[in-house]
Amino acid sequence: RLQQQQNQLLEESVAERTRELNRRNKHIELLMNELNHRVKNNMQLLYSLNSLQLAGSKDEYAGNILKDNIARIKAMMLVNDSLNPGSNADNKTISPVTFIAEIVEHSKNMFAQSEPVDIRLNIDNSLILDATANICLGLIITELITNSYKHAFTEQPLPQISIEILNAGNHWKMHYHDNGKGFSVQPLNSFGLTLIADLTRQLKGHYNISRHNGTGYFFTFPNTA
């Protein structure tokens, strides 16, 4: 009887502890949802403010800066939506396939030109990246696409961009290429290229640039997810 009483007390203690942990988990989930909701609202506000300024801007230089900012904010919004606890169970790692396709579609609308750009994607479905890597990747791709739209295709009747991302076990690779006019000397004062270099360093990666039949970027990153 003493053993039975001890077992019953132990079971009750375990059950109470389990209920307490469940209450804490629900509270943490509620806080995470609230945080995500606020982040989403703040980014949406920034996106809307920049869009309103763009609509009222008559200066081409200022308009290009606003378009760049809108594209960057949209990239972060798409990654944040992918990491939303409501759509991502562990809220830590995701595949970049979906949000990169959405970045591409947004870029087509943002930088629409007379000749539509044929953007081809080949992204390895097995590649899973953490939140930091996905945000950096989204911003890198946004900058590359923006540069291509703004500078590459002035003399190209059939503009084309290809993005290939492959999983290679302990590292992953990205090849970005456009068939534009390229550039003979890399501009030193380009904010976009400086941002690409900084984001690549954040991911402990490196890249090379090719100027053969347009412009190509070859990135290699360690796989830490």
Side-chain angles (χ1 to χ4, degrees):
R1 285 198 300 270
L2 181 60
Q3 184 65 46
Q4 289 175 346
Q5 290 176 350
Q6 289 177 335
N7 289 342
Q8 183 178 358
L9 289 172
L10 180 60
E11 290 174 0
E12 292 175 355
S13 176
V14 170
E16 178 59 31
R17 181 61 175 167
T18 301
R19 286 192 292 270
E20 177 63 24
L21 289 174
N22 287 335
R23 285 193 293 268
R24 290 186 181 183
N25 287 338
K26 289 181 180 179
H27 181 62
I28 292 172
E29 183 178 352
L30 180 64
L31 291 176
M32 290 296 297
N33 285 331
E34 177 64 20
L35 177 61
N36 183 75
H37 183 68
R38 292 188 182 188
V39 169
K40 183 176 181 178
N41 284 347
N42 288 338
M43 286 197 290
Q44 182 62 55
L45 178 60
L46 289 172
Y47 184 90
S48 299
L49 288 174
N50 278 272
S51 298
L52 287 173
Q53 286 184 303
L54 177 62
S57 175
K58 298 180 180 180
D59 182 84
E60 183 179 359
Y61 178 75
N64 285 333
I65 292 177
L66 289 169
K67 283 184 178 181
D68 292 351
N69 287 336
I70 290 170
R72 291 166 188 144
I73 294 168
K74 184 64 175 180
M76 290 187 286
M77 289 172 64
L78 291 171
V79 176
N80 183 70
D81 287 344
S82 299
L83 293 168
N84 186 338
S87 59
N88 181 23
D90 59 16
N91 196 34
K92 293 179 181 179
T93 59
I94 58 172
S95 167
V97 173
T98 301
F99 77 78
I100 288 178
E102 291 174 333
I103 287 174
V104 166
E105 289 305 311
H106 181 264
S107 299
K108 288 180 178 179
N109 295 328
M110 179 61 61
F111 301 100
Q113 52 188 47
S114 56
E115 292 295 334
V117 180
D118 179 18
I119 302 181
R120 302 179 181 184
L121 298 178
N122 179 21
I123 304 174
D124 194 335
N125 285 305
S126 69
L127 180 63
I128 302 296
L129 302 175
D130 61 26
T132 299
N134 276 304
I135 290 174
C136 289
L137 175 60
L139 289 173
I140 288 172
I141 289 176
T142 297
E143 294 302 322
L144 292 171
I145 293 176
T146 299
N147 284 342
S148 294
Y149 267 100
K150 290 168 61 177
H151 305 298
F153 301 129
T154 55
E155 302 170 5
Q156 175 56 261
L158 298 172
Q160 186 179 98
I161 294 172
S162 64
I163 303 172
E164 183 179 52
I165 303 176
L166 301 176
N167 187 5
N170 62 352
H171 64 280
W172 54 282
K173 298 181 177 182
M174 178 172 73
H175 177 208
Y176 177 97
H177 182 265
D178 70 49
N179 66 344
K181 62 182 181 180
F183 51 86
S184 57
V185 179
Q186 183 171 340
L188 298 177
N189 59 346
S190 168
F191 177 79
L193 294 179
T194 301
L195 181 58
I196 289 170
D198 287 342
L199 291 168
T200 302
R201 280 194 294 269
Q202 280 189 45
L203 295 182
K204 297 179 172 58
H206 62 273
Y207 69 94
N208 298 311
I209 300 177
S210 167
R211 298 177 177 86
H212 179 67
N213 293 331
T215 304
Y217 290 79
F218 298 85
F219 296 84
T220 301
F221 303 97
N223 198 343
T224 58

